[in-house]
Amino acid sequence: MIYRAIGIMSGSSLDGLDIVFAELSESAGKWEYEIRQAETKEFPGELKAKLQSAGQLSALEYLRLHSSFGHYIGHQVKLFIEANNLQHQVQVISSHGHTVFHEPNNRMTAQLGDGAAIAAVTGINVVSDLRAMDLALGGQGAPIVPLGEKLFFGDYKLLLNLGGIANISAANDTDYIAFDVCPANRVLNMLAEEAGKTYDKDGLLASKGFVRDEVLFKMNQQPYYTRPFPKSLANDFGVETIYPLLKQANLSTSDALRTMVEHICIQLTRSTGRLLNTFKETRPTKMLVTGGGAHNEFLMQRLQSALSVMGIKLELPSKAVIDYKEALIMALLGVLRWREENTVMHSVTGAQRSSIGGAVWMGQEA
């Protein structure tokens, strides 16, 4: 079977709205993909500010933003379809939404971007709320992409995504394990903005700084890092816990960035070591890296240096996969939901069972 789907991702780093139009094919359980069109639509300043502060809104204002952001996504998808002459080609749209609240202990997660609004604007069937079922079953609801990684990138036993939050996945002969490791681009970008930059291109500012060991020690002592997996992080861990530790120390921007890069590398190295202990036979020697952080040359150099002692080599896929892997997998999860097949693996999230996640909104008339 061949499916043509749009996947939409709004990550915690707030880089913009990632939209991917992909052709997905399945034969005898084997999935293949082709990214036909992809684009990142930068958020207007006012909308970005609203998304950043959404956690402080009243219930009424939050729901208003949920609706307006859904309509915004719908209109951006319409523009994307028109610009790429995709009319009558898209079978389903799958939207992750923008995560604001994430409390697995309370079986609750909340992503902005009303799926019904997207369906109403586009006239195309929409899948949204992809995490909710797993949370209801007692799972972490995160990371959300491992099933797609397994189906699309099964040749890799170790995968790393350097987004607003860094998350890592590992597969052995019997299990697939994945979890959020630590804050990444969201905090790096917040620090770069203090120097008037959207992000630290190539890690140039960080490369000129010095690691401040006293701050780094406090960052690495956070209880989350010693918790066993399955586990996941809310965006506010980086914004309200890690970032303030850097700010309270009165560091220069370069020193703060350099210290944050070292923090990311230390936590990823420790997590990789724990995962390697799950491999009872042949240990993997390569790790696929995607996400915006893969373009940060300094971060990648430091990470490769740290992981080389374990015999791990970092590998980068095509630029399209680096930038749009998560949106691509959202398209796949939407198709799997449409086929009424599992979208979440309980071995990853710790839920009672694997599940078919996602609400379906019919954009077309019967």
Side-chain angles (χ1 to χ4, degrees):
M1 286 290 292
I2 295 176
Y3 301 90
R4 295 177 179 87
I6 282 180
I8 305 167
M9 186 72 194
S10 172
S12 58
S13 58
L14 288 169
D15 294 333
L17 191 70
D18 292 340
I19 305 176
V20 162
F21 173 64
E23 186 169 285
L24 313 176
S25 60
E26 182 270 336
S27 177
K30 181 176 175 58
W31 284 87
E32 295 183 350
Y33 69 88
E34 180 184 355
I35 297 176
R36 299 279 296 276
Q37 301 289 343
E39 181 180 356
T40 298
K41 293 180 177 286
E42 186 176 343
F43 293 128
E46 183 179 356
L47 176 58
K48 183 175 180 179
K50 287 181 178 180
L51 294 175
Q52 284 177 322
S53 61
Q56 284 73 55
L57 295 176
S58 68
L60 178 59
E61 289 300 320
Y62 178 88
L63 290 173
R64 285 173 175 164
L65 180 58
H66 180 57
S67 174
S68 64
F69 188 50
H71 283 86
Y72 168 83
I73 293 173
H75 287 296
Q76 295 306 311
V77 171
K78 278 192 72 173
L79 292 172
F80 176 84
I81 289 172
E82 291 166 3
N84 294 290
N85 297 314
L86 301 177
Q87 294 88 342
H88 310 298
Q89 296 186 52
V90 182
Q91 295 165 291
V92 65
I93 297 168
S94 182
S95 176
H96 175 270
H98 184 79
T99 301
V100 178
F101 302 108
H102 186 68
E103 297 183 1
N105 290 342
N106 293 318
R107 301 195 178 194
M108 183 276 288
T109 189
Q111 285 75 44
L112 285 168
D114 183 12
I118 302 171
V121 172
T122 61
I124 299 171
N125 300 333
V126 170
V127 176
S128 65
D129 302 318
L130 289 158
R131 299 180 187 266
M133 188 65 194
D134 186 75
L135 267 293
L137 288 166
Q140 292 288 315
I144 192 69
V145 298
L147 185 57
E149 291 175 335
K150 182 179 181 180
L151 295 177
F152 283 159
F153 308 104
D155 291 342
Y156 287 89
K157 301 302 183 183
L158 286 172
L159 300 98
L160 169 65
N161 187 71
L162 290 169
I165 294 171
N167 51 65
I168 194 167
S169 304
N172 62 19
D173 292 337
T174 57
D175 294 315
Y176 204 99
I177 302 167
F179 57 92
D180 291 338
V181 176
C182 63
N185 293 345
R186 179 69 182 274
V187 174
L188 291 173
N189 291 351
M190 291 173 70
L191 293 169
E193 286 172 1
E194 296 174 2
K197 301 179 182 296
T198 306
Y199 64 98
D200 183 13
K201 182 174 173 57
D202 297 328
L204 185 61
L205 288 173
S207 70
K208 296 177 179 178
F210 297 91
V211 176
R212 300 295 292 269
D213 290 330
E214 67 280 7
V215 184
L216 182 62
F217 176 80
K218 292 179 182 178
M219 295 163 70
N220 287 330
Q221 290 300 109
Q222 298 305 307
Y224 175 82
Y225 296 135
T226 57
R227 280 175 46 193
F229 46 81
K231 60 181 179 177
S232 60
L233 281 170
N235 293 334
D236 57 14
F237 179 76
V239 174
E240 298 177 8
T241 301
I242 297 300
Y243 178 73
L245 288 174
L246 293 162
K247 294 304 297 174
Q248 291 162 11
N250 277 327
L251 306 184
S252 68
T253 299
S254 287
D255 283 0
L257 283 163
R258 179 68 183 88
T259 303
M260 185 63 195
V261 165
E262 200 66 16
H263 175 62
I264 294 168
C265 290
I266 288 171
Q267 292 306 323
L268 286 172
T269 302
R270 289 177 179 175
S271 294
T272 302
R274 294 188 190 109
L275 287 172
L276 289 178
N277 289 333
T278 68
F279 291 88
K280 296 180 175 60
E281 297 180 3
T282 305
R283 288 161 62 103
T285 58
K286 58 184 181 178
M287 175 185 285
L288 185 72
V289 186
T290 57
H295 297 302
N296 186 323
E297 292 184 7
F298 181 68
L299 172 59
M300 291 292 289
Q301 289 169 5
R302 289 293 307 127
L303 185 57
Q304 179 61 84
S305 177
L307 292 176
S308 62
V309 297
M310 300 180 189
I312 300 296
K313 185 178 187 306
L314 303 180
E315 294 192 1
L316 298 176
S318 68
K319 185 178 185 300
V321 174
I322 289 174
D323 292 340
Y324 297 106
K325 184 191 81 173
E326 290 195 324
L328 168 67
I329 291 178
M330 291 309 115
L332 173 64
L333 296 184
V335 169
L336 292 175
R337 171 63 183 89
W338 197 257
R339 286 163 56 109
E340 298 186 352
E341 296 180 9
N342 285 342
T343 59
V344 183
M345 294 181 287
H346 71 281
S347 67
V348 169
T349 67
Q352 299 168 23
R353 58 174 173 81
S354 298
S355 61
I356 304 170
V360 176
W361 307 94
M362 305 304 291
Q364 302 167 340
E365 290 188 39

